[in-house]
Amino acid sequence: MPDLSIILPFHNESGGVRNLFRRLYPVLNQTGLSCEIICIDDGSADDTFQSLLHEREYDQRLKIVRMARNFGKETALTCGLQLAKGRAAVTLDSDLQHPPEVIAELVQKWREGYEMVYATRVNRKTDGIFRRLFSRAFYATFRTIAEIQMPDGAGDFCLMDRKVIDALNAMPERNRFMKGLTSWVGFKRGTVPFDVAAREGGSSHWNFFRLVRFAFDGISSFSTLPLRIWTWCGAAVSVGAMLYGIFLIVDVMVSGIDVPGYASLMVGILFMGGLQLLSLGVIGEYLARIFTEVKARPLYFISDRVGFE
Ligand code: UDP
Ligand code: MG
């Protein structure tokens, strides 16, 4: 059984594979731990899988999994954690945005007794201004309404003790917001700051809609506030409507029937219509997620494994 499992998700990263391992090996050797390197090819359309096989010819510590299609990074990481045999596991991006050198510090913290060690990013220089604003808004919202705390700048670059891995593997949900899950399980937590590097090659897999969906996945799996808030909205609107109704009745009794009011009627109807659609939409979002959970399909399928006995 190895000491450390390194888990790397790959999606169309063939150009960066060589560089990644060139930087990873010295760090692993320096820690003096026995390692397994679990590479998840998450449905790449390029020759990532071939590059990984090629890499394995030089180092038998590599274990390679090819997913049946692109299941997304969260699922790839879940797959890696389920296959990991180590006493601890480190997950990091394969595009070298998470510098492998930081692994040494993560391991150091782990040796000090921390069970969940986050590498926290200290800058977001590599992200565009829009993405930076978006993530700031998201984390502020997440912290306020979700019932869990995650360290500032924490992401998917982290070290988990076996206890944490087992806890994560025991969670059956299909919607896997890893950052949230790792914070939710608890355990003794440490952080190691690091500078995010620019992407080595290829391009980021995120666009606006994917980000929004991811953000709502995160919030919806840790909070029911977006569902419950409509009770309060409804209550506030009802109270307002009742007061306005009383005012109208009194007004009609005092000064007679007054027909004009097209503008206020329109505004009232449109505003209420919008509010109702919005709340329905939120219910729909939760319902859709319940639907995926209820179907209880397997999280992923593996088409090839190399290096596992
Ligand atoms: N990735 C993956 N499956 C996907 C998308 C991305 O395994 O569907 C991997 C990708 O190869 C990289 C990591 O997840 O190692 C982070 O992806 P990316 O760099 O696109 O995200 P960003 O760094 O922009 O957050
Ligand atoms: Mg990246």
Side-chain angles (χ1 to χ4, degrees):
M1 213 173 275
D3 291 323
L4 198 62
S5 305
I6 305 291
I7 300 171
L8 295 159
F10 293 83
H11 182 62
N12 297 341
E13 305 281 4
S14 99
V17 168
R18 190 72 275 276
N19 269 341
L20 170 68
F21 288 103
R22 208 174 51 203
R23 278 178 60 188
L24 186 63
Y25 291 143
V27 186
L28 297 185
N29 298 338
Q30 183 201 328
T31 60
L33 298 170
S34 60
C35 297
E36 61 173 358
I37 305 170
I38 302 180
C39 306
I40 317 284
D41 175 11
D42 185 16
S44 296
D46 63 2
D47 55 358
T48 300
F49 187 63
Q50 280 68 30
S51 311
L52 290 172
L53 286 179
H54 184 69
E55 220 34 69
R56 192 180 138 71
E57 287 170 18
Y58 300 100
D59 198 318
Q60 299 293 308
R61 289 179 295 180
L62 252 71
K63 297 180 176 180
I64 309 166
V65 175
R66 175 150 65 166
M67 302 281 236
R69 64 167 170 86
N70 178 234
F71 284 96
K73 179 182 170 186
E74 311 292 305
T75 307
L77 289 179
T78 305
C79 169
L81 285 172
Q82 288 176 348
L83 294 170
K85 293 268 188 293
R87 291 195 294 120
V90 171
T91 55
L92 75 160
D93 284 3
S94 56
D95 57 3
L96 282 175
Q97 286 199 278
H98 296 161
E101 294 72 25
V102 179
I103 295 176
E105 294 170 57
L106 294 175
V107 168
Q108 182 51 37
K109 278 270 179 185
W110 176 52
R111 285 183 166 137
E112 286 167 22
Y114 293 95
E115 291 157 335
M116 178 74 229
V117 192
Y118 291 100
T120 52
R121 39 159 89 195
V122 288
N123 72 60
R124 288 192 172 266
K125 272 181 254 155
T126 54
D127 289 348
I129 175 80
F130 170 74
R131 178 138 176 210
R132 245 183 284 174
L133 286 176
F134 187 87
S135 24
R136 187 157 320 147
F138 168 71
Y139 285 109
T141 319
F142 191 81
R143 265 204 212 95
T144 331
I145 71 174
E147 288 108 28
I148 55 163
Q149 287 301 319
M150 59 165 119
D152 231 358
D156 294 320
F157 189 9
C158 57
L159 180 146
M160 304 165 215
D161 186 78
R162 175 46 59 187
K163 291 176 205 163
V164 180
I165 305 172
D166 288 342
L168 289 175
N169 288 346
M171 296 209 240
E173 57 226 81
R174 253 116 278 283
N175 176 12
R176 300 189 81 83
F177 183 65
M178 290 304 279
K179 292 182 245 257
L181 292 178
T182 52
S183 315
W184 185 84
V185 292
F187 297 100
K188 192 171 179 219
R189 221 186 254 182
T191 56
V192 169
F194 81 101
D195 261 321
V196 184
R199 224 175 191 290
E200 275 283 297
S203 58
S204 174
H205 304 95
W206 296 93
N207 61 35
F208 176 71
F209 292 104
R210 226 172 149 172
L211 270 179
V212 172
R213 204 176 83 195
F214 186 62
F216 203 81
D217 273 344
I219 290 176
S220 64
S221 47
F222 288 97
S223 171
T224 49
L225 188 71
L227 270 180
R228 287 177 290 126
I229 201 165
W230 302 106
T231 317
W232 296 102
C233 285
V237 171
S238 308
V239 169
M242 209 165 69
L243 294 178
Y244 188 54
I246 294 171
F247 163 77
L248 282 181
I249 292 169
V250 172
D251 192 40
V252 167
M253 290 197 299
V254 173
S255 47
I257 293 171
D258 178 21
V259 174
Y262 173 74
S264 56
L265 258 179
M266 276 315 276
V267 170
I269 289 173
L270 291 179
F271 177 70
M272 287 314 299
L275 211 60
Q276 281 166 2
L277 285 180
L278 192 65
S279 60
L280 258 180
V282 172
I283 296 173
E285 292 285 339
Y286 275 86
L287 191 66
R289 284 170 177 81
I290 295 171
F291 183 55
T292 13
E293 297 292 338
V294 164
K295 279 188 291 185
R297 287 186 182 156
L299 258 168
Y300 53 82
F301 289 105
I302 293 173
S303 69
D304 290 289
R305 332 164 168 239
V306 183
F308 296 86
E309 62 284 341

